[in-house]
Amino acid sequence: MRNPFKNIGPGALVAAAFIGPGTVTVCTLAGIQFGFSLLWAMTLSIIATIILQETASRIGLVSQKGLSQVLRDELPAGILRKSVLGLVLAAIVVGNAAYEGGNISGGVLGLQALGSTGILEVAGYAINGYSLLIGAIAFILLYIGNYKVLEKVFLLLVILMSLSFVITAILTGPQLLMVLKGALIPQFPDGSILMIVALVGTTVVPYNLFLHASLVNQKWKDRSELSAAKKDTIVAVILGGLVSMSVIIAAAAITGQEVDGASGLAQSLEPLYGSAARYCIGLGLFAAGITSAITAPLAAAYVAQGCLNLGGDLKSRNFRLVWMLVLVLGVGVATFGIKPIEIIQFAQVANGILLPVIAGILIWLANRSTLLGNYQNSKLKNIISVCILIVTLILGARAILSVFGLL
């Protein structure tokens, strides 16, 4: 009781990672187009994410290895191991590099919603100063290479993000019974299927599984602490889900309007609920952007470390080179407005394949007595995990089909 934050672990980073600008945008569009009726999809997403993240963290704590290193050790040598590790590298390292520009741009939109554009004229070129600022903050925090520092910073950012979006939702004065109905009773309004898939897909994130497994053994070293790790996961994922729900609830206040994303939501809410709504959305979007801008390079570095068997820690040269590459590419994309469409499409396809593959491998690993001993999955967990695997297959297929314009 003297220190209520003592048992807070990597859950804060995991929650911050899946509430990125993309999540905020999808939730905004879901609220505007369908009101409260798709809140249940977030409830489903929270349950699925808790199961998958708890499995990944259990594997990481018991083995004291990152998930990519566990895959390297447990998969039989040969084409299968090379294929899986190659897919993981392509989807997460290349994918996070492609998405990093969007993470930083999301943080920039949040700052712009507060007032200034942040555009600087340098030698005749328009440069976004905010993206450089966010990149610099991310660089400093990652270069320090101290897990405890990252944990505390992310806890503060998650609190800021949570308060910002929850206060915005409260300002709109939603009807509590309608909110509960939307969160607990599945509804399928016309044209909502793709949005439901998008809501689940933006919460169940492949790179978070690798990030969690790597970070959990930075915090805890003994199997007796599995209970603390599980509580940390459940609390963090539920908190993250509530933040996403808050965005949907806030956006539902302006149903019927043409709003393209979170920054548009801030502008639309201001005339109705005052400048406080705009500032809350702006701060929340900034926190969502900067946290994802830090966790994406961090996850990429952990994945490369395990897949390529690089060894070392947060301060090792190879580890730093990977996250620096991802971060620099992201800052360049956000600063100069570059749109690497082909790379993003490749990353979407790779992630679409990776999600069900990793979900299936997680179930396999969670049932290996040689790896987990007495901490294997129970029958109930296996049944729930198989159901989630089916959902990930649908999500993966949707991601791949959408890239090729078939959806």
Side-chain angles (χ1 to χ4, degrees):
M1 292 299 292
R2 292 177 186 174
N3 184 2
F5 300 113
K6 182 180 178 181
N7 285 324
I8 290 175
L13 282 79
V14 171
F18 78 70
I19 312 169
T23 302
V24 176
T25 299
V26 169
C27 291
T28 297
L29 297 176
I32 290 169
Q33 294 174 21
F34 302 103
F36 301 146
S37 60
L38 299 187
L39 284 171
W40 67 269
M42 284 309 308
T43 303
L44 175 66
S45 301
I46 291 168
I47 295 169
T49 303
I50 287 173
I51 296 295
L52 291 176
Q53 294 294 158
E54 188 279 328
T55 303
S57 69
R58 181 161 27 106
I59 291 170
L61 199 159
V62 173
S63 68
Q64 286 295 297
K65 299 174 184 176
L67 188 54
S68 52
Q69 184 64 55
V70 171
L71 291 177
R72 187 180 185 87
D73 293 343
E74 295 295 320
L75 290 173
I79 189 67
L80 177 62
R81 180 199 287 174
K82 290 178 181 178
S83 298
V84 171
L85 293 180
L87 177 60
V88 170
L89 273 173
I92 295 182
V93 178
V94 177
N96 284 9
Y99 299 141
E100 181 69 353
N103 294 330
I104 294 173
S105 296
V108 168
L109 287 174
L111 291 175
Q112 289 176 338
L114 302 178
S116 170
T117 63
I119 301 298
L120 305 173
E121 289 288 338
V122 179
Y125 292 95
I127 294 177
N128 197 312
Y130 284 150
S131 62
L132 296 175
L133 173 64
I134 291 171
I137 294 171
F139 184 93
I140 291 168
L141 288 172
L142 287 168
Y143 195 83
I144 290 171
N146 187 310
Y147 168 74
K148 289 185 178 179
V149 172
L150 284 174
E151 188 181 272
K152 290 174 182 176
V153 170
F154 270 75
L155 180 59
L156 290 173
L157 287 171
V158 167
I159 290 172
L160 171 63
M161 188 170 15
S162 303
L163 288 174
S164 297
F165 289 126
V166 170
I167 290 172
T168 305
I170 292 171
L171 285 173
T172 63
Q175 295 181 18
L176 187 57
L177 287 176
M178 295 296 291
V179 171
L180 289 174
K181 179 183 175 183
L184 300 175
I185 301 175
Q187 302 172 64
F188 297 88
D190 291 342
S192 65
I193 297 299
L194 289 181
M195 184 60 74
I196 291 168
V197 174
L199 285 170
V200 179
T202 196
T203 308
V204 183
V205 183
Y207 88 73
N208 258 352
L209 300 170
F210 290 86
L211 183 65
H212 203 171
S214 295
L215 290 175
V216 76
N217 54 62
Q218 299 276 333
K219 175 73 176 182
W220 293 293
K221 301 294 182 183
D222 195 276
R223 296 182 180 190
S224 64
E225 296 173 305
L226 276 168
S227 177
K230 184 176 181 179
K231 289 176 184 175
D232 175 62
T233 300
I234 293 171
V235 171
V237 174
I238 289 175
L239 179 60
L242 290 176
V243 171
S244 297
M245 285 182 168
S246 296
V247 177
I248 295 174
I249 292 167
I254 52 171
T255 52
Q257 294 187 34
E258 287 292 328
V259 177
D260 58 359
S263 58
L265 176 62
Q267 295 169 3
S268 298
L269 287 175
E270 184 176 16
L272 299 172
Y273 305 104
S275 59
R278 176 167 64 89
Y279 288 126
C280 283
I281 289 286
L283 287 171
L285 188 54
F286 165 70
I290 196 168
T291 52
S292 295
I294 297 169
T295 53
L298 187 62
Y302 274 125
V303 164
Q305 185 183 58
C307 287
L308 302 176
N309 203 23
L310 299 176
D313 55 17
L314 285 166
K315 296 181 180 179
S316 65
R317 185 172 67 91
N318 289 330
F319 190 89
R320 283 175 168 169
L321 283 174
V322 176
W323 67 250
M324 281 181 186
L325 176 62
V326 173
L327 181 60
V328 168
L329 288 173
V331 171
V333 167
T335 302
F336 298 103
I338 304 166
K339 294 184 178 180
I341 302 299
E342 291 82 5
I343 298 176
I344 290 174
Q345 287 179 336
F346 168 78
Q348 287 173 331
V349 171
N351 272 288
I353 299 170
L354 178 65
L355 182 55
V357 168
I358 290 302
I361 289 175
L362 274 179
I363 297 172
W364 173 65
L365 291 174
N367 285 281
R368 283 179 67 77
S369 58
T370 53
L371 177 66
L372 295 180
N374 294 328
Y375 302 102
Q376 294 172 254
N377 266 7
S378 64
K379 287 184 179 179
L380 178 60
K381 276 188 178 177
N382 278 330
I383 292 169
I384 297 172
S385 297
V386 170
C387 293
I388 293 171
L389 174 60
I390 294 169
V391 172
T392 63
L393 283 167
I394 296 169
L395 291 173
R398 186 256 182 190
I400 294 168
L401 292 172
S402 64
V403 168
F404 294 104
L406 300 176
L407 279 179

